[in-house]
């Protein structure tokens, strides 16, 4: 890789604003806000609206749509044409 053209890839804390869960990972994102992590070091924190801790697909609270009812409704509207 060419030196000087890539963003810094450093540890960052992502905080889920919906559930309050925090994840320490590496990223190129930066922030002016910081947080003291469990290990005592200070890391930049990026607030996200949704993550795997609060997304319905990952938490198992996803709603299943009635697809059979939708197909029947479509057939009633457009099937006879």
């Amino acid at each position: 890789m060419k030196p000087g053209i890539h963003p810094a890839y450093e540890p960052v804390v992502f905080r889920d604003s919906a559930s309050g869960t925090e994840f320490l990972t590496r990223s190129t994102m930066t922030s002016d806000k910081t947080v003291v992590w469990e290990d005592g070091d200070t890391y930049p924190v990026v607030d996200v609206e949704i993550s795997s801790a609060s997304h319905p697909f990952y938490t198992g609270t996803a709603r299943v749509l009635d697809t059979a009812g939708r197909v029947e409704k479509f057939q009633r509207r457009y099937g006879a044409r």
Side-chain angles (χ1 to χ4, degrees):
M1 295 189 334
K2 289 185 178 180
I5 64 170
H6 298 285
Y9 186 66
E10 299 173 341
V12 177
V13 174
F14 286 93
R15 182 171 43 207
D16 185 349
S17 59
S19 68
T21 307
E22 296 178 337
F23 302 96
L24 177 63
T25 186
R26 296 177 58 90
S27 177
T28 59
M29 293 186 71
T30 59
S31 175
D32 294 333
K33 295 187 266 181
T34 59
V35 67
V36 176
W37 191 246
E38 299 163 355
D39 61 3
D41 290 337
T42 303
Y43 299 105
V45 63
V46 177
D47 291 319
V48 294
E49 293 181 14
I50 196 161
S51 71
S52 62
S54 63
H55 193 280
F57 179 79
Y58 294 107
T59 59
T61 59
R63 294 181 293 157
V64 177
L65 297 176
D66 181 20
T67 56
R70 290 178 178 234
V71 171
E72 291 167 359
K73 185 176 179 181
F74 179 83
Q75 291 295 335
R76 275 184 300 194
R77 269 193 199 164
Y78 305 108
R81 293 185 184 184

